[in-house]
Amino acid sequence: MHSICFQATGVPRSNYIFDSCSPALAISKPINLRFCGLRKEAFGFSGLTHSSSGRVRFSSRGHSKKVSASAESNGSPPKSFDYDLIIIGAGVGGHGAALHAVEKGLKTAIIEGDVVGGTCVNRGCVPSKALLAVSGKMRELQSEHHMKALGLQVSAAGYDRQGVADHANNLASKIRSNLTNSMKALGVDILTGFGTIVGPQKVKYGKVGFPDNIVTAKNIIIATGSVPFVPKGIEVDGKTVITSDHALKLESVPDWIAIVGSGYIGLEFSDVYTALGSEVTFIEALDQLMPGFDPEIGKLAQRVLINPRKIDYHTGVFATKITPAKDGKPVIIELIDAKTKEPKDTLEVDAALIATGRAPFTNGLGLENVNVVTQRGFVPVDERMRVIDTNGNLVPHLYCIGDANGKMMLAHAASAQGISVVEQVTGRDHVLNHLSIPAACFTHPEISMVGLTEPQAREKAQKEGFEVGVVKTSFKANTKALAENEGEGLAKLIYRPDNGEILGVHIFGLHAADLIHEASNAIALGTRIQDIKFAVHAHPTLSEVLDELFKSAKVKAAASSHGPVSEPVAV
């Protein structure tokens, strides 16, 4: 196995932060991020050593980070524990960690103050995909040209708003029940209440108005997730000015809705609203729509997902004030120039959706009791998800995963981080390769990506001194896509011609979210292009888009199939 290590600054997706369930480099904020590979040997990791003081040190290329003893001042750790592992937060990340912990034989408890499933299941990926499934069917039925090309005749398509809303709600309820039952069946204790760290290896929890309960654990994982981020000056009433939480209930379908932020949250909702008959106006602070995607993919996506639909947009502007509709007046949005801050325009619309991303839900966790201060709300962690205190030292037995640490705000990233932590606490060192984690935007067609965008790859190449190769294949040459009359799409591979390393793959087209995993697994396993191009794909399938993509890449003859990957670099 090979690994990739890359340290990069966050790439802006929309004007603020990012959601927890899908896309393009969902990085929360412009901080330095360490994306590290699967094999410790690639970094000169030599395992655990013990200093004369008895503190544990992790050695890596001569550098070390001591485990903090500062937490001891807030009370001594318990001598025996109620649990091997306590997880604060029962979202997708906490659920994944809990199931893996039980598999590893750990006595595990999970604390949840709201509902099992967290944002993804209840207010994010799950109900949004139910709405997007409806929008996809509606869009197909409403496309006379598409149906006629297949020889089909369909009468005017319509929908029942409450029925659509019920579909989303019922799906969330079903998945939530499945998650709860799976944990109970395996013996995970579900403790109800808001969890707070009160000292080393010690947590209290309880409902408002009831006495708190104190529990202890050998290890603790923070997995509290995130909430919608609403910028200052925007008044949310939940009816005419809404967040994604409100939008997923689909209590209304406005004739004209403004969407603030053109990241994947905004894009997905634009897909839903336009399919159901709304007109959409995007408000984006950066100079172009979809700024977090690979520029070439974003340009094509705009041509297909924005331009032909009832969508207009304002870029390079901030919505400084949004006033909900009342007293017969519409929603009023005041825009200023993002650079000069001069007044730019005023919009009057029926509704506004604030899709400016998500903020970590970390208030009230009691982090001050273990000498930890958040950074813009995010819990500071190292590449192993170990929490770092104010002195830069590791807090013993305390980890943070998912949106709360801000490394990569995706539900499946949170789950992968949780599994990685469990591996560590059960004796197997493991570092998650974040560059191998795929992301997707579930529009019609879909967008997916893994690894670096082309600008990121070229920046990395310039600093490290290697060439970048780029190849592309079109869905128009794929038999299965043509059979579906869905030939609009593109797959793009960014790689190193000198050694065959895959740097990034970006796909726009039919079932792109499913197709990306061949590329993400290749990156995770360190598979080189010269090896994967011999893989056999069933014909005729959409997977042949990637087959052609890898076969199109030109790797130098001297390149070894198992050569070294790039060294860590600060970008």
Side-chain angles (χ1 to χ4, degrees):
M1 276 195 241
H2 302 286
S3 59
I4 298 172
C5 196
F6 177 53
Q7 191 164 351
T9 55
V11 178
R13 161 173 300 286
S14 68
N15 37 335
Y16 296 102
I17 310 179
F18 301 92
D19 185 54
S20 61
C21 292
S22 310
L25 287 178
I27 299 170
S28 62
K29 54 192 185 299
I31 60 171
N32 286 337
L33 306 174
R34 278 252 359 227
F35 292 162
C36 294
L38 299 173
R39 290 294 297 268
K40 59 189 178 183
E41 292 83 359
F43 314 112
F45 183 87
S46 57
L48 297 175
T49 60
H50 294 267
S51 67
S52 58
S53 65
R55 287 177 175 157
V56 178
R57 297 178 183 272
F58 290 83
S59 302
S60 178
R61 298 192 188 277
H63 299 287
S64 64
K65 179 171 283 193
K66 63 184 179 180
V67 176
S68 168
S70 61
E72 314 291 335
S73 62
N74 292 307
S76 300
K79 292 189 168 112
S80 61
F81 302 98
D82 299 314
Y83 295 96
D84 297 313
L85 178 66
I86 287 177
I87 303 163
I88 305 175
V92 171
H95 176 263
L99 265 56
H100 195 58
V102 171
E103 182 183 325
K104 291 289 186 177
L106 301 182
K107 184 181 180 183
T108 304
I110 194 162
I111 300 173
E112 179 53 64
D114 186 18
V115 286
V116 170
T119 291
C120 177
V121 172
N122 300 288
R123 301 172 298 277
C125 356
V126 171
S128 69
K129 298 313 158 290
L131 295 183
L132 284 159
V134 171
S135 73
K137 300 291 186 186
M138 282 294 294
R139 201 170 293 286
E140 188 171 18
L141 292 172
Q142 290 170 343
S143 176
E144 184 179 346
H145 173 75
H146 177 77
M147 287 297 179
K148 195 171 182 180
L150 295 172
L152 298 176
Q153 296 177 355
V154 179
S155 58
Y159 69 92
D160 170 44
R161 182 200 57 78
Q162 189 58 52
V164 175
D166 289 345
H167 171 54
N169 183 61
N170 292 340
L171 178 63
S173 296
K174 181 178 181 179
I175 301 300
R176 180 169 61 245
S177 177
N178 289 345
L179 294 184
T180 303
N181 293 338
S182 67
M183 289 192 291
K184 286 181 176 179
L186 291 172
V188 176
D189 287 348
I190 301 176
L191 310 177
T192 303
F194 188 85
T196 302
I197 297 166
V198 294
Q201 299 167 286
K202 193 178 297 182
V203 178
K204 72 175 181 179
Y205 72 95
K207 295 181 179 179
V208 177
F210 292 87
D212 288 330
N213 301 284
I214 302 291
V215 286
T216 61
K218 187 175 181 181
N219 292 285
I220 298 169
I221 296 177
I222 297 167
T224 48
S226 61
V227 294
F229 173 68
V230 179
K232 292 180 181 179
I234 296 177
E235 181 184 346
V236 174
D237 67 350
K239 298 293 182 183
T240 61
V241 180
I242 59 177
T243 68
S244 56
D245 285 2
H246 306 109
L248 289 167
K249 298 175 183 178
L250 201 70
E251 292 182 348
S252 67
V253 179
D255 291 334
W256 184 11
I257 184 168
I259 299 179
V260 184
S262 67
Y264 75 95
I265 306 174
L267 275 179
E268 289 186 348
F269 275 110
S270 76
D271 197 291
V272 170
Y273 281 119
T274 53
L276 299 182
S278 300
E279 294 185 25
V280 169
T281 295
F282 272 119
I283 299 170
E284 173 58 56
L286 297 178
D287 291 334
Q288 72 279 343
L289 296 176
M290 298 174 276
F293 296 98
D294 182 88
E296 191 169 10
I297 295 294
K299 185 177 180 180
L300 175 60
Q302 181 171 334
R303 181 167 65 81
V304 176
L305 301 177
I306 305 292
N307 297 348
R309 300 178 181 178
K310 293 180 179 180
I311 299 175
D312 67 351
Y313 52 88
H314 300 263
T315 56
V317 294
F318 281 121
T320 56
K321 186 176 181 181
I322 299 182
T323 306
K326 52 189 171 184
D327 301 327
K329 295 180 180 179
V331 174
I332 299 173
I333 304 175
E334 297 179 16
L335 304 179
I336 65 169
D337 188 281
K339 295 176 181 175
T340 67
K341 304 300 185 287
E342 294 294 323
K344 193 78 179 279
D345 205 349
T346 299
L347 302 180
E348 294 184 354
V349 295
D350 298 309
L353 168 63
I354 313 307
T356 47
R358 304 187 64 84
F361 183 57
T362 53
N363 288 336
L365 273 175
L367 293 170
E368 66 278 2
N369 295 326
V370 285
N371 196 30
V372 173
V373 175
T374 60
Q375 299 171 359
R376 294 180 59 195
F378 295 96
V379 178
V381 296
D382 71 355
E383 70 275 10
R384 289 174 175 80
M385 309 304 126
R386 299 175 295 188
V387 175
I388 301 170
D389 71 9
T390 55
N391 298 316
N393 298 322
L394 299 174
V395 179
H397 310 290
L398 183 62
Y399 302 81
C400 180
I401 65 172
D403 288 9
N405 71 33
K407 275 188 173 287
M408 203 170 194
M409 298 180 81
L410 298 169
H412 50 279
S415 182
Q417 290 173 1
I419 291 169
S420 177
V421 168
V422 171
E423 286 290 290
Q424 294 168 53
V425 301
T426 54
R428 178 178 178 266
D429 185 57
H430 185 274
V431 177
L432 178 65
N433 178 8
H434 285 79
L435 277 181
S436 71
I437 297 176
C441 183
F442 293 86
T443 47
H444 297 90
E446 296 172 344
I447 311 171
S448 64
M449 65 291 298
V450 66
L452 307 177
T453 63
E454 185 175 343
Q456 288 174 326
R458 293 198 181 281
E459 183 179 4
K460 178 178 169 68
Q462 185 176 13
K463 293 191 176 183
E464 293 189 18
F466 62 82
E467 293 181 6
V468 170
V470 176
V471 291
K472 291 164 275 191
T473 54
S474 172
F475 278 62
K476 288 183 173 69
N478 181 267
T479 302
K480 186 65 161 58
L482 294 176
E484 299 276 351
N485 197 28
E486 295 282 359
E488 191 72 73
L490 176 75
K492 178 177 180 178
L493 167 67
I494 305 159
Y495 68 104
R496 287 184 58 163
D498 60 339
N499 64 9
E501 180 184 346
I502 300 170
L503 299 175
V505 173
H506 303 263
I507 308 173
F508 174 66
L510 185 65
H511 295 302
D514 298 309
L515 294 175
I516 197 64
H517 293 92
E518 182 173 0
S520 68
N521 288 337
I523 293 175
L525 298 173
T527 307
R528 300 307 178 92
I529 291 168
Q530 54 268 41
D531 294 323
I532 200 172
K533 66 167 52 182
F534 290 106
V536 180
H537 297 74
H539 175 75
T541 63
L542 292 172
S543 71
E544 291 175 292
V545 170
L546 284 180
D547 185 39
E548 291 298 323
L549 189 66
F550 292 127
K551 282 181 167 61
S552 298
K554 306 297 182 185
V555 180
K556 294 179 181 177
S560 166
S561 294
H562 302 286
V565 299
S566 2
E567 291 295 315
V569 62
V571 177

